[in-house]
Amino acid sequence: MKLQRKNRLRALSLGAIAVSGALALTACGSDDTSGSGGGGKETNANANIKCDDAKGQLAASGSSAQKNAIDAWRKVYTTNCKDVQLNYNPTGSGAGITAFLQGQTAFAGSDSALKPEEIEKSKKLCKDSQAIDLPMVGGPIALGYNVPGVDNLVLDAKTLADIFNDKIKTWDDKAIEKLNPDAKLPSTKIQAFHRSDESGTTDNFTKYLKGAAPDAWPHEPGKSWVAKGGQSANGSAGVAGQVKQTAGAISYFELSYAGDGIKTVDLKTDAKDPVKANVDNASKAISEAKVVGKGKDLALELNYKPTAEGAYPITLVTYEVVCEKGNKADTLAATKSFLTYIASEDGQNVLKDNDYAPIPEEIITKVRSTVAGLS
């Protein structure tokens, strides 16, 4: 019986592979520029990608927060547009903006909108125009922690500010106990990790601390960590790795890096119940964002003190930064083709499957129109 069952499962598996191959061939036939593609959700997305005249090397760098999203997008996009070689280097938002402004890349990924001085500098690069921010990826900044024996942890803005400002030093501190009356908190020393590189994630996290607990967080928000104390690691993967291996650790990073058993903090806001760091709760927060950029620039302003139930305020938006006009001629077609795909409905649907939040429809519609007009 076991042998018959094994053979039957093997036959079903081979049949599934055959069907998948047929679907892939169907997707190829639907678009002259498509590659072989894959089955399932990716096949549906593949059929809608327009490669146009895209070809050659497409270099970009910046936000490590969106690396996992870029990897998922690239897998689908380059399967279709085989003449394009997309290379994304997750150097951090600050380094990505610098490389773009120096003309080294076709576009940059940044978790912070361009500063006025960066926009001014971009006018030397962008012929008869300037660089603009295109919000493309959303998601919660999770607070990952490693406290043995504590499976659920609630913190608020003030307590987080005191932890990362080196004022709360052990996990059994009274402020933490008050928020977690049912937890058995150990006297373990808190090991707070921050980013060592310039990071839009740091910028967004410190904007939250400043916006939600200004009295407890005296430092100005920014891409570079300025508070004293704590330890540092490079990139989102670096700080997440430290949390995983260090007892007593806590750090901030995108939800997509909170895998492999890393627990995340529930956030106490002005709403009735603590809020979990998940994609749907991040989307609720992003939907309250306001467009504050001028012209084609779509920079957003987030609300760090929401009262709505389920709105998770430690949320970032990653922008793709390009020239409104004056993009490099040799990479313009590939840039537009790739950005058109990731801003599409299919591209945005990829985000939720990878622990990111799609950009709300009223905003992403403007992004699509702006991408179509890039020159």
Side-chain angles (χ1 to χ4, degrees):
M1 290 298 290
K2 289 183 178 179
L3 180 61
Q4 290 178 344
R5 184 172 180 271
K6 183 176 182 181
N7 289 337
R8 187 159 57 249
L9 290 172
R10 182 173 181 272
L12 288 170
S13 177
L14 290 172
I17 293 173
V19 171
S20 177
L23 288 171
L25 289 172
T26 301
C28 286
S30 67
D31 190 332
D32 291 339
T33 59
S34 293
S36 58
K41 294 180 180 179
E42 287 190 358
T43 301
N44 293 334
N46 290 352
N48 294 324
I49 296 176
K50 302 299 181 183
C51 302
D52 297 324
D53 298 321
K55 60 183 179 180
Q57 296 276 346
L58 183 59
S61 66
S63 164
S64 64
Q66 70 168 357
K67 177 187 180 296
N68 294 336
I70 291 283
D71 286 347
W73 281 328
R74 175 170 49 196
K75 182 178 179 181
V76 179
Y77 179 79
T78 57
T79 296
N80 281 266
C81 304
K82 292 188 174 181
D83 290 334
V84 178
Q85 290 182 306
L86 173 61
N87 298 305
Y88 183 80
N89 190 358
T91 54
S93 298
I97 293 295
T98 297
F100 174 74
L101 293 178
Q102 292 176 348
Q104 298 173 12
T105 54
F107 67 91
S110 178
D111 307 321
S112 299
L114 291 163
K115 297 177 181 178
E117 58 268 28
E118 291 171 335
I119 292 177
E120 188 62 32
K121 187 175 181 179
S122 74
K123 294 178 181 178
K124 297 178 181 178
L125 173 72
C126 305
K127 187 177 180 180
D128 298 325
S129 69
Q130 65 179 46
I132 55 175
D133 299 288
L134 301 176
M136 204 72 76
V137 183
I141 299 174
L143 277 304
Y145 70 95
N146 181 348
V147 184
V150 180
D151 294 327
N152 297 289
L153 184 66
V154 176
L155 296 174
D156 59 15
K158 183 183 185 305
T159 307
L160 281 168
D162 286 341
I163 287 173
F164 281 90
N165 206 27
D166 204 29
K167 289 188 175 182
I168 293 179
K169 299 181 182 293
T170 61
W171 282 109
D172 60 353
D173 187 274
K174 291 183 179 180
I176 301 177
E177 285 184 341
K178 185 177 180 180
L179 291 165
N180 299 272
D182 298 326
K184 294 182 179 179
L185 297 167
S187 59
T188 306
K189 181 181 178 181
I190 294 175
Q191 306 283 352
F193 284 89
H194 56 263
R195 291 278 291 272
S196 60
D197 54 320
E198 282 200 350
S199 163
T201 312
T202 295
D203 190 23
N204 280 274
F205 179 54
T206 53
K207 281 179 178 175
Y208 163 75
L209 295 178
K210 188 68 173 178
D215 294 336
W217 191 256
H219 315 290
E220 286 302 312
K223 294 177 183 176
S224 298
W225 188 262
V226 296
K228 295 181 180 180
Q231 302 178 64
S232 65
N234 187 69
S236 296
V239 291
Q242 290 295 331
V243 169
K244 185 178 179 181
Q245 69 185 22
T246 307
I250 185 171
S251 190
Y252 55 93
F253 41 79
E254 299 70 42
L255 184 62
S256 62
Y257 288 90
D260 299 326
I262 296 178
K263 303 183 184 78
T264 59
V265 170
D266 292 349
L267 197 65
K268 183 70 178 74
T269 67
D270 289 337
K272 180 181 178 181
D273 298 317
V275 185
K276 293 188 177 298
N278 62 40
V279 169
D280 289 336
N281 291 343
S283 292
K284 291 178 182 178
I286 296 172
S287 67
E288 296 183 8
K290 298 178 181 179
V291 176
V292 294
K294 296 179 181 179
K296 295 292 184 179
D297 185 81
L298 297 174
L300 302 177
E301 182 178 83
L302 299 172
N303 176 16
Y304 295 112
K305 297 183 72 174
T307 57
E309 294 296 328
Y312 185 84
I314 316 181
T315 298
L316 62 74
V317 172
T318 300
Y319 302 91
E320 312 311 332
V321 177
V322 293
C323 292
E324 181 183 352
K325 298 178 182 178
N327 292 283
K328 295 180 179 179
D330 57 341
T331 56
L332 176 60
T335 299
K336 288 186 68 171
S337 174
F338 179 66
L339 295 183
T340 296
Y341 161 59
I342 67 177
S344 70
E345 183 177 353
D346 289 327
Q348 289 290 296
N349 284 341
V350 168
L351 294 177
K352 199 166 185 178
D353 293 335
N354 289 275
D355 292 325
Y356 293 97
I359 301 299
E361 189 64 25
E362 60 271 21
I363 298 174
I364 201 66
T365 298
K366 297 177 181 179
V367 173
R368 291 167 187 158
S369 176
T370 302
V371 170
L374 296 180
S375 61

